[in-house]
Amino acid sequence: MSTPYPFTAVVGQSDLRLALLLNAVSPAVGGVLVRGEKGTAKSTAVRALSALLPQVDVVPGCRFSCAPAAPDPACPDGPHEPGPGATRPARMVELPVGASEDRLVGALDIERALAEGVKAFEPGLLADAHRGILYVDEVNLLHDHLIDLLLDAAAMGASYVEREGVSVRHAARFLLVGTMNPEEGELRPQLLDRFGLTVEVAASREPAQRVEVVRRRLAYEDDPAAFAGRWAGDEQDVRARVVAARALLPQVRLGDTSLLQIAATCAGFEVDGMRADIVMARTATALAAWAGRSEVRKEDVRQAALLALPHRRRRNPFDAPGLDEDKLDEILDGFPDEEPENDPDPDPDPEPEGPDDGGPEDGGPDGGGGGIPPQGGPEAPGAPEAPAPDESPEAPETRESPDSPAQQPASRDGASPEQAAVRAAEPFRTKMLSVPGLGEGASGRRSRARTAHGRTTGAQRPRGQLTKLHLAATVQAAAPHQKARGRSGRGLVVRKDDLRQATREGREGNLVLFVVDASGSMAARQRMSAVKGAVLSLLLDAYQRRDKVGLITFRGSAAELALPPTSSVDAAAVRLEQLPTGGRTPLAAGLLKAHEVLRIERLRDPSRRPLLVVVTDGRATSAGTAGSARTDGGDPRRLAGRSARLLQAEGVASVVVDCESGPVRLGLAGVLAADLGGPAVTLDGLRADSLAGLVKNVRTASETHRRAA
């Protein structure tokens, strides 16, 4: 086995190291979710932690790592006879993103269970991780049902496998660590809440700090064993400190004042539920034990809040995690400090003690940085200050009335000049748009699909390993052969060929591709604000339904792929917020660009079906270009119609959001919708309470096209 990078050699990343060590001291804290950009030592630090955990005593031969002193009475390998145990290092088990449910929780031999009545159980990764670490890299890309199983096991300390009346339970207590890059998509708020602590990491921007990161990494790669040997003493010191903190933990006193501070902090930040209070209490207790104290202090509560609350403050996926430290200090200052009782350690510093880094305090073997999550509300650090709600982003002399375009000189070709970006209106709840037919894409919450989870609709022969047994169909297949197979007892003689896999219908996630008109005809500030609010609402709906999203904008003489298809819905929201307007309207270029993007995505992920959402008033004043998809000139409206019919011919489900306003309307968006073979809906009609017939219309239009073809 290759020599792992030493935990104590990670440069900086103090919050990451502290959160991991606190969970090593007290696994009841609930695990750590590490969020950060690529190359910031997330995986390196997690993999290095296992070497610091104390060795565990296990029952020899037990596949579920039962402790000899207190074996699990329900262990599938039990009952265990008293006797000496064996000692082994704590394990770190990695859960691959593409793992199956059986690989995670284990699998029953259904054939033997039916024919012989025995519980032939093959343990999964949860059993392997018992009394160790379970690490999920890119946890935001893991299927939702696997995350639910994972977090349920972590919360209950046990794993349950239920299959067709056969039940197996075994202990599964582990330190859960997940890492993720927010650019690739967010976790659901419910799942975020199930992680005890969250840490934000980022690469250092200081040259000296980055130099130290590179120096250590190169030294490790040249000779891993020698590099690890230089840090062996520091590793042993931290390992001994973890053992001492674990021993001290039951003696740590959490006083009434500290409990009031925790409760007031959670209430002051309007955190939902009571899990945050419990996690903060456990974290503060672990911090005191880590510092060698038997009394929880105010600084422990403060640090616990910075680790346990930022991810619980989010109200929607477009909010950046963070905590207002001034407000936190104001809340905590309202309570007097408790008098320490026989506290031998006057040092309040809860930071993890490690080796002398010899230079930078930020960085890591793959990158560096980190610390307290970004503070100051939903705006990202370093972002320009947004204008007040009653102010325009432009200078006072260029302001215009809300219903008219900016008063700026027209360009030479008569098109409106480029306008500064306007803020989106408040998002609202939209009704579901779905793709017609039955798909087989990734699990989600939008369109009907054949999935591993959902309602049972039939049975078929298994194509590979049996995962979901259809009991009635299996018995029906085996029944005619019982006499020929010499059945003599009460049991049913079942062969492998008799087994039937249940087919299920659930929901899939789709690729929702937005094509947004940013031309001069959309430049009226009030209208563009409403348009952005509508698209933001649809993006929020896409986040909730586990879709991939993409964003195409068209204006001037070209269409641009502003955001390639991604699972990061908040990235699309950022691009939308920064979208300027102005110029002519190359509608055909926007549609051809959509055709090109969908063609490429179909090759990359053929099972994910697209839904095209075109946001426009239907005007077309320029032919334009769309990257490799070039128009040939001619009448812009005729070209737009041809481009739309091309998409319809390929069966792309489409919806046109009609942005035309005013007393006189040309109805061009409706013409475009007819060419696309989908419905048109106004901005006002996009709201959930006004959208009663839209899903039906999408399906009807597509079915009509299919019959005509």
Side-chain angles (χ1 to χ4, degrees), residues 319-613:
D319 292 338
L323 209 64
D324 186 343
E325 293 193 55
D326 292 335
K327 180 178 179 179
L328 175 61
D329 291 334
E330 181 181 346
I331 293 173
L332 295 178
D333 288 342
F335 297 88
D337 290 330
E338 292 196 43
E339 292 295 329
E341 298 181 0
N342 301 323
D343 192 345
D345 183 8
D347 183 10
D349 182 16
E351 291 294 321
E353 290 182 3
D356 182 6
D357 285 338
E361 288 301 322
D362 293 295
D366 298 320
I372 306 299
Q375 312 301 325
E379 296 296 332
E385 183 177 354
D390 58 344
E391 293 180 355
S392 165
E394 286 104 353
E397 62 270 20
T398 62
R399 287 183 189 167
E400 72 281 357
S401 64
D403 298 312
S404 63
Q407 301 300 318
Q408 295 184 12
S411 62
R412 292 183 179 179
D413 60 0
S416 300
E418 180 174 315
Q419 312 288 326
V422 298
R423 301 186 66 177
E426 284 296 317
F428 51 84
R429 187 172 65 88
T430 66
K431 198 167 183 177
M432 182 178 67
L433 311 178
S434 66
V435 178
L438 192 63
E440 295 183 348
S443 176
R445 295 186 176 183
R446 184 172 296 278
S447 304
R448 294 174 55 231
R450 297 184 184 91
T451 59
H453 298 269
R455 64 185 181 90
T456 300
T457 58
Q460 64 182 13
R461 291 181 181 272
R463 298 175 182 174
Q465 183 180 6
L466 180 71
T467 56
K468 297 290 183 182
L469 178 74
H470 195 295
L471 183 58
T474 299
V475 173
Q476 186 177 6
H481 308 290
Q482 295 305 295
K483 185 176 180 180
R485 293 173 183 175
R487 174 187 173 188
S488 58
R490 299 176 59 186
L492 188 68
V493 181
V494 180
R495 303 281 174 82
K496 188 172 183 179
D497 290 342
D498 301 328
L499 300 179
R500 294 295 183 268
Q501 174 87 19
T503 58
R504 298 173 183 263
E505 182 179 313
R507 294 280 173 175
E508 67 176 359
N510 297 110
L511 167 58
V512 182
L513 183 60
F514 294 92
V515 181
V516 180
D517 185 348
S519 64
S521 65
M522 304 282 290
R525 299 188 65 80
Q526 186 176 15
R527 187 195 307 181
M528 199 60 202
S529 177
V531 168
K532 287 187 175 183
V535 178
L536 196 64
S537 303
L538 291 169
L539 284 171
L540 182 59
D541 181 71
Y543 165 78
Q544 294 168 343
R545 301 192 187 280
R546 315 293 176 265
D547 294 316
K548 289 179 68 175
V549 297
L551 178 63
I552 293 173
T553 63
F554 59 93
R555 65 188 184 91
S557 61
E560 175 189 4
L561 180 59
L563 181 71
T566 176
S567 297
S568 181
V569 177
D570 52 341
V574 172
R575 302 292 175 88
L576 178 71
E577 195 71 30
Q578 300 170 350
L579 178 65
T581 58
R584 289 187 175 274
T585 311
L587 177 57
L591 297 175
L592 289 176
K593 187 67 174 178
H595 178 269
E596 180 183 357
V597 171
L598 294 178
R599 178 183 60 80
I600 295 173
E601 287 301 310
R602 194 177 298 116
L603 296 174
R604 291 175 176 171
D605 190 357
S607 64
R608 189 180 289 269
R609 298 184 295 162
L611 175 64
L612 184 66
V613 180

Side-chain angles (χ1 to χ4, degrees), residues 49 82 91 458 508:
L49 179 65
R91 293 173 179 160
E508 67 176 359

